[in-house]
Each structure stands twice: as C-alpha cells, then as structure tokens.
Amino acid sequence: MIVVSPSVEYGALSPMLIVLGAAVAGVFVEALLPRHLRYVAQRTLATAGLAAALIAVLALSGHRAGAAMGSVAVDGPTLFLQAAVLITGLLALAPIARHRLDAFAPAAALTPASAAERSATSLGIQQTEVFPLVMFTVSGMLLLPAAADLLTMFVSLEVLSLPLYVLCGLTRRRRVLAQESSLKYFLLGAFSSAFFLYGTALLYGCSGTFDLTGIAAAISAGHADPALASAGTALVAVGVLFKVGAVPFHAWVPDVYQGAPTPITGLMAAGTKLAGFGALLRLFYVALPGLMDQWRPLLGAVAVLTMVFGSVVMVSQTDVKRMLAYSSISTVGFVLLGVTAPNTGVAPTMFYVLVYGVSTVGAFTVIGLIRGGDGLEDNDIEHWAGFGRRSPLPAAALALFLLAAAGVPLTSGFVAKFGVFSASLAAGNGVLVLVAVACSAIAAYAYARVILTIFFAPAGGQTPELARATPATVVGVWVAAAATVLIGVAPQPLLSLASNAADFLH
C-alpha cells in the first residue's frame, strides 16, 4: 500500500502560517524569557508577524488556486478579507500594546511592593500572554474566509473563538463583569458550534462530501435530498450568524462588548465581522447557490430583525460600549442586505465590512483612553459632557467614527451603506432598503446624542480625562480617521479593488 503525502502549498498559505508561527513563538517567549523582557519581545513579535503576513497577502495578489488538498481557497475574496483582517489587526494592536496595559493588569499589580515590580507594572507586562492569544484568534480570522470545506470552516471558527473567550475575561479591574461576559460568550459559542456541526452532518449526509463545490454540484444535479439540504443550510447558517451577532443570535454581544477589555472589544467587533461575512459569502455563493430561493428570504427576514432591533435598542443605552454593541448588531443587518443581493452583493459586502472594521477599531481605541476620576475607564455617556472642550482632537476623531457609523456623507460609512443599499435595490429588495433607511435614521439619533454631549453639553463635575497614549496608539487613531475621510471622499480605488476581488474560486 502506497501512502501519498498531502501537498501543502506553503506560498499560498503563507499569511496564515506567518501569523500562526508568530503565535506559537509568542507561547515560547512567554514560557522562556524573563518577565522584564517579555513585553517588548511579545509586542515586537506580534507587530512583525501581522506586518509580514500583510506583505505576503499583497504578494499573492491575483493568485487563484486551491491549497492544502482543496481545503483552502486562495482567491480574490480570500485575499481582500485577509488584508482587511490584518489591517484592522495592526490598528487594534496599538492600544493593546500601550506601555501600561491597565485594562489587563491584575489587582495585585496595582500596588507593587518593590522597584522591580513597579517597573514591570509600568511596562504592562503582567499579562503579556494577551499577545499570542491575539495572534491565534487572528489566524482563525484569516482561515475562516478561505475555508473551502465545512470541516476547515469549523476548525477556523474554533481557532478564532477559543482565544477570544479567554481574552474577554482578562479585565481584572472589573472581574465579575469580565468573567460573566467571557462565560456567556463561551456557553453560547458552544451552542452555536453544535448547530454548525449538526448542519455539517446534514449537508454531508445529503451530498456525500464536505467540500463546498461538491455540495453545490450535488444540489444542482438533484442528488441531494431537498429537506436535508435546507435543514443543513439553516443550521450551518446559525453557527456563522452567531459569530457576526445577527438577531436572534445576538444575546452575547452587549454583555461581551461591555465586559471585555476595550482594545479586545475593538478587535472582536472588527475581526469577527470580516471573517464571519467572508464565510457567509463563500457558503451561500459557492456551496448553496442552488438553494438561493430558500435562503434569500430567510436572510432577508434576519436582516430586518437585526436592523430594527439594533437601531431601536441602541437609542436607550447610556453606556457607550453597549451602545456600540447594538450599533454593531444593526450594522450586521445592513451588511446582510449585500449578502441577499445575488451576484452584485459580494463587492459591497466586502467593502462595508472593511470600512466598518477600520472605523470601529478607531472608535474603541479612543474610548479605551477616556478615564474617570478614579483612573478607570468611564463609559457613561452622561459623564462625557465637556470632553470635547478638554480634549478636542480625540473627541473630534471619535465624532468622525460615529458619523461614519451613522452613514453621513463624505465618510466611508456613507459609501458603504450606499453600496449595499444599491445592490439590494437592484436585486428587487426595495422593502428591505426602505427598512434600512428608516433604521439608519433611528441610529443616527443615538450617535448624534453622544456627539452633542461631548461638544455642547455643559461640563459637570465628572468630566473625564484622556489617558496618556503611546505614539503607536496616536498613529493608529489618526490612520483610521484619515482612512474614514479619504474613503468617503474618494472611494473609487477601494471600490474597484473590491469589485475586481469579488470572484470566488469554484
């Protein structure tokens, strides 16, 4: 018996391998280096790994081929979304890599007893394991939109999720809230994984393969049982819709966003949308185009529920992180409009999740720097009165990101919403577009309330201050702000790039 060794195309897989290698190297750094050297080493390793992976993605531009014996598809959508994940990852790493990681510092580190401990705490090295955890979750985000079969998709979902469960519980100064959010995310994530696996079993049972193109061929040839295929599609979709936070699979989002460390919230909000929608697009357009008449109405109904629920509930929120959590829920509904637009919706969907990721990471970076009188984060919107006069530039950047989320013209958010609305309208979903426009108006009120409080409300006795930011954090915020404006003013280069990359490998 001759055993044929599997072929592994290392060049095509290089972005994922670089990030995964950096994550494994980070584990060894954590285990072997002295404590006072870990922080600088971990920060350098993580930044270099993400930058090298981004260079590898750019080098693969135009590459179209299967890899790892067909389990990974390297094509336009894969490379576009991988570049988007790495860009947002680099932006999110800046606040994580502050010289003082207050959000991650354990309680014992708040009052060090010795000069050495004071030095260690000032370098923020108390929980440097956050860096390899971030790299592991980014590696899952890179693999998920490239998964060409259901087993690879499931593995990438778990690689993405398991480190996030841990990262969400690392806010030691709000221990109860952080651990509650982490446990809720873990338990609901386990349920969603079970749904995904059950759906995978049904799709395999009706088609005889885990391969997405094989499933499509079985359905189009009439070999797949329609009832089993429809049930499997619904269950697999539940597993992915949970990750992006669509209603009614959204219950974890507000609590987890509020309880997680703010830099991790930004990474999670951006990265899970990019990876999750990449998986949804590949699943529905590569594996299940033959069931389009079944899944399009269902996704349309989910989009309406998600837009309405997120936009209405966010108006009543007083905690800015919970408000942005419900904002992200409503955004999922808007992006789903692009998914439900066959053939024309892929490019607007990819464009939307990219610009949303950049502006969201920027917003959470600024929010993570706002401190109350006790030195801890102050996320109460009512306490932010007068913040715009005390710190005008960070307040202006935050206002810009909120305006982009609202879809105000001359921001990237306006172009993104216009793109998915146009694609959905061209596909005959006029009712969905009307609902989306109404929900955008409702959500705009919530964003305007925050901006008015920051700049125009009279300052009270609890006006927060801005924590000292490192140069990397400042650069990250202003890069995100510049991208938000430039894409809003001159979107055509990025739109053309998304359009050229919108062809899946079948």
Side-chain angles (χ1 to χ4, degrees), residues 75-473:
D75 53 17
T78 292
L79 297 175
F80 184 92
L81 292 171
Q82 284 184 342
V85 167
L86 292 167
I87 289 169
T88 55
L90 284 168
L91 293 175
L93 198 65
I96 294 173
R98 291 199 305 270
H99 283 297
R100 184 179 179 87
L101 298 181
D102 290 326
F104 303 102
L110 302 182
T111 55
S114 66
E117 289 172 330
R118 284 195 298 273
S119 175
T121 304
S122 67
L123 288 174
I125 63 173
Q126 295 296 325
Q127 290 191 266
T128 48
E129 66 269 23
V130 67
F131 292 99
L133 287 172
V134 166
M135 298 301 283
F136 276 119
T137 197
V138 170
S139 68
M141 293 173 184
L142 294 177
L143 179 59
L144 183 55
D149 63 58
L150 292 175
L151 287 183
T152 304
M153 195 172 288
F154 172 74
V155 170
S156 59
L157 276 172
E158 295 306 299
V159 173
L160 182 161
S161 301
L162 291 174
L164 279 179
Y165 299 151
V166 179
L167 289 167
C168 289
L170 291 182
T171 309
R172 299 297 181 88
R173 290 187 175 185
R174 299 191 304 271
R175 187 185 301 271
V176 175
L177 183 62
Q179 293 180 351
E180 178 186 346
S181 68
S182 180
L183 183 61
K184 178 177 289 189
Y185 194 14
F186 169 72
L187 292 176
L188 294 179
F191 279 114
S192 74
S193 297
F195 278 109
F196 188 94
L197 280 179
Y198 195 7
T200 297
L202 293 180
L203 288 175
Y204 177 80
C206 72
S207 65
T209 181
F210 293 110
D211 184 72
L212 299 184
T213 56
I215 294 171
I219 292 174
S220 62
H223 298 156
D225 181 84
L228 278 181
S230 298
T233 299
L235 291 173
V236 168
V238 167
V240 183
L241 289 172
F242 170 86
K243 293 302 176 187
V244 298
V247 174
F249 318 109
H250 67 284
W252 62 276
V253 176
D255 292 336
V256 174
Y257 276 39
Q258 183 182 19
T262 302
I264 299 303
T265 304
L267 174 66
M268 177 170 52
T272 55
K273 302 292 186 301
L274 287 162
F277 275 104
L280 278 176
L281 289 171
R282 191 172 297 278
L283 182 67
F284 287 125
Y285 285 93
V286 175
L288 305 168
L291 299 178
M292 187 174 293
D293 291 338
Q294 283 81 22
W295 59 255
R296 273 191 69 199
L298 291 176
L299 276 189
V302 171
V304 169
L305 288 174
T306 305
M307 288 185 292
V308 172
F309 179 84
S311 301
V312 170
V313 177
M314 70 180 290
V315 172
S316 62
Q317 301 303 308
T318 59
D319 184 286
V320 71
K321 289 176 72 174
R322 291 187 73 87
M323 188 204 77
L324 290 181
Y326 286 106
S327 168
S328 77
I329 293 173
S330 65
T331 298
V332 169
F334 298 140
V335 181
L336 282 174
L337 295 184
V339 181
T340 59
N343 304 320
T344 60
V346 176
T349 299
M350 296 194 303
F351 180 89
Y352 201 142
V353 290
L354 170 57
V355 300
Y356 167 80
V358 171
S359 60
T360 297
V361 169
F364 278 109
T365 300
V366 177
I367 291 168
L369 295 173
I370 299 175
R371 297 285 192 266
D374 55 0
L376 302 179
E377 287 185 16
D378 187 352
N379 298 322
D380 192 321
I381 297 171
E382 299 302 323
H383 295 172
W384 287 11
F387 177 66
R389 291 186 290 276
R390 175 170 291 186
S391 303
L393 290 180
L398 179 58
L400 175 64
F401 298 134
L402 295 179
L403 291 174
V408 172
L410 299 182
T411 65
S412 59
F414 172 78
V415 181
K417 284 188 177 181
F418 184 81
V420 294
F421 290 178
S422 299
S424 186
L425 195 61
N429 297 332
V431 175
L432 296 184
V433 174
L434 288 176
V435 173
V437 171
C439 291
S440 295
I442 295 171
Y445 170 79
Y447 300 125
R449 181 166 61 94
V450 178
I451 295 172
L452 291 173
T453 300
I454 291 174
F455 288 101
F456 301 106
Q462 302 187 61
T463 301
E465 297 183 353
L466 200 70
R468 183 175 61 87
T470 63
T473 303

